[in-house]
Structures are given as structure tokens and as C-alpha cells.
Amino acid sequence: MTEYGIHASHEQIPPGALLEAIVAAERAGFAAAMCSDHFSPWSTRQGQSGFAWSWLGAALQATNLSFGVVTAPGQRYHPAIVAQAIGTLGSMFPGRFWAALGSGEFSNEHITGAKWPRKEVRNARLRECADVIRDLLGGAEVSRDGLVTVDRARLWTRPETPPPLIGAAVSVATARWCAEWADGLVTVNAPEPHLREMIAAYRAAGGRGPLCLQVHLSWAPTEAEAEAIALDQWRSNCFDPPVCWDLATAEEFDVVSEHVTVDRVARVVNISADLDRHTELLRGYADLGFDRIYLHHVGQDLMPFIETFGAKVLPALR
């Protein structure tokens, strides 16, 4: 049976308020949670970007939910440090934590001042990082001299069972590649044919583990309110690669998204005041084979969404 969780967007909501929302989400019937790990939001209107790893310890302690994080080792983070963070949370909260690894976005990684590599180099670096993290979580002493350098690293605190390392992908090619090394796949909502193709490519290449989906949605009591929320908060997030990979600052995202329309946003956000419509869409994703579906209301006030979906949508899905 598909598990329905909530996505915690650090780029939109201060960490204290986000923690309160996650506690409320568990009470409302959400079964799991995931969050993003960025240094910068995609818009000055979003206006936040708390440190996910600090927040995860508090969120895991405050709830009984499982949690995942989408992170990018290799430039802003050394993979040994990511492994240490994963190992610590996995040790403290056995069986409740997973990490998804992606190749990153320039808006977060440029802060180091290092060169931003080409996409194929970023993918190769990510694969090296994934191998380093997995070996460290498995108890090995690790040294590497490649796209990442590691010198005699060893994790002294780690869980008996290493947390899963999930592959983050938005393209069919990346989904197929993730099957080589990942313990599962996570992606975002897209047209049904594209999601089917991604799933098929991942499984055909030997991909194992759960299929996870983050669903961007905007709900409000009226259609006009739902559209206004989506346009205000998510119009800077509807650009295909390489644009979304290569812009540097929130201000740059705001400039390029100035003339984006609500119709364009609706291609990446499920916008509706109709709860039955949201239920129908979510049920459709489950029918595709996703094991976990994480709902991301793109507004900054999560409480009405949590209360309403907890009372009316989640029971209908079950």
C-alpha cells in the first residue's frame, strides 16, 4: 500500500514553524516526511533556507515519522561529512531515515567558489561520492584520489543497518543510471507518460528499492487563491534543465521568472481548490507504482493544508 507523507520546504518556511507543521502533520495522519537541503531559495519571495541536517535531528526527535532528505555531496559537502551526518541520524533513529543523493544546483554550490563542473562531470562526481558514503556506512576505511579526494576516513559512529541511499532523478536517462548504485528512486510529479518511462527505465536496468514521488500542489478554498499561491511561490521553479541547474542566485531566478504565467506554473504544480481532484491525481500516481508519495503544498502557511488534507484527502486515499 502506498504511504503518503509530507514534504518540508526549508526554502519557504522558517525552521521553527516548519517543525510545528511536521508535528501537526503527524497528528493529522501523514505517515512520513521528507525535506530539501539547499543553501538558497529559488526566489526572494520564498525567503528562507534553514540547515536541513540540524532540523532533521529535531524533527526525528519530535515525531515518530520516517524522514528523508535530498542532498548533493561533492562540492558544498565533502562525502565523508555527508556519510557522518547520515550515520549519526541512522544511529540515533534506526530504520527511520534515508538520504537521496543528487548532482546539485549552482544556486547552492557556487558558495564554495569552486568551478561548477559540466553535468556529466557532476554525475561522475556524484557516483564517486555515493560509493564513498556507502563504503563508510559499511564500516570501511576509505581513501580516494579521483574527482573527490578522501584520506583514511572512517566512521566511528554508524548504525547497524546503513540508511538507504536513494537516487534523485528527473530524467529517464538519470533514472536508468541511478539503477546502477541506488537503493531506490525519488522524483517529482510530471506527466504520466514521463513517470511511466522513468519507472520502467529504472526497473529494467535492475533498479531496486522503493519508488518515491514528491508532488507539488497548491490548494486553497477558492481556485483564485490556489492559483495566486502557486504563482507567487513557485513560478521561479518551473524551468527545465539546464536553466534550473545553472542560475546562481534567488534574484536571478526572480528576473527570469518575472513574466511566467499561472498556466506555466500549472505544468509543474497541481493547482486546484477541488479536494476530489487532488485525491484523483494522487491516486493516479499510486497506480503508477509509487511506494511513497510526499505532498508538497507550495504555500507558506501549511496548517490549513495539513488540517484539510488530513481530514478529507488522506482518508479517501486509504
Side-chain angles (χ1 to χ4, degrees), residues 211-226:
L211 298 172
C212 309
L213 180 69
Q214 179 188 350
V215 177
H216 303 305
L217 65 91
S218 181
W219 170 84
T222 70
E223 201 74 16
E225 290 175 280

Side-chain angles (χ1 to χ4, degrees), residues 81-94:
I81 300 303
V82 175
Q84 186 182 30
I86 294 170
T88 297
L89 290 175
S91 175
M92 293 178 70
F93 306 100

Side-chain angles (χ1 to χ4, degrees), residues 1-2 4 278-284 286 293 295 309 312-318:
M1 182 175 291
T2 300
Y4 293 92
H278 284 291
T279 302
E280 177 187 2
L281 289 167
L282 292 167
R283 190 175 286 125
I293 297 176
L295 282 57
F309 274 60
K312 297 183 179 180
V313 174
L314 295 184
L317 291 169
R318 297 191 187 103

Side-chain angles (χ1 to χ4, degrees), residues 4-199:
Y4 293 92
I6 187 169
H7 175 77
S9 180
H10 288 286
E11 300 75 29
Q12 297 177 274
I13 301 167
L18 199 56
L19 183 61
E20 292 176 4
I22 291 297
V23 171
E26 182 180 33
R27 289 198 304 264
F30 288 86
M34 66 174 286
C35 73
S36 44
D37 173 22
H38 294 106
F39 194 83
S40 171
W42 297 275
S43 169
T44 57
R45 293 182 306 279
Q46 293 171 344
Q48 297 289 326
S49 206
F51 187 52
W53 295 98
S54 301
W55 183 88
L56 279 162
L60 282 156
Q61 179 64 30
T63 71
N64 292 305
L65 300 174
S66 64
F67 277 83
V69 63
V70 182
T71 191
Q75 185 153 329
R76 181 167 44 117
Y77 297 130
H78 191 281
I81 300 303
V82 175
Q84 186 182 30
I86 294 170
T88 297
L89 290 175
S91 175
M92 293 178 70
F93 306 100
R96 291 177 54 201
F97 180 67
W98 55 269
L101 308 181
S103 59
E105 297 176 353
F106 190 51
S107 60
N108 304 302
E109 311 306 324
H110 75 85
I111 62 168
T112 66
K115 178 182 177 182
W116 182 232
R118 299 184 309 277
K119 175 60 174 172
E120 65 269 24
V121 178
R122 300 201 302 273
N123 279 354
R125 181 176 67 181
L126 173 59
R127 179 58 192 271
E128 290 188 18
C129 288
D131 290 344
V132 167
I133 293 167
R134 193 179 298 281
D135 287 350
L136 287 169
L137 290 170
E141 180 180 277
V142 176
S143 295
R144 295 284 194 279
D145 293 292
L147 292 172
V148 294
T149 301
V150 188
D151 178 39
R152 293 166 293 177
R154 174 184 171 188
L155 287 187
W156 293 87
T157 297
R158 57 188 183 86
E160 289 187 14
T161 301
L165 300 180
I166 307 293
V170 294
S171 73
V172 173
T174 302
R176 185 180 297 112
W177 173 72
C178 285
E180 298 176 7
W181 59 268
D183 299 318
L185 184 72
V186 63
T187 189
V188 296
N189 57 291
E192 181 178 311
H194 180 73
L195 293 175
R196 284 189 184 280
E197 193 175 357
M198 285 187 69
I199 292 170

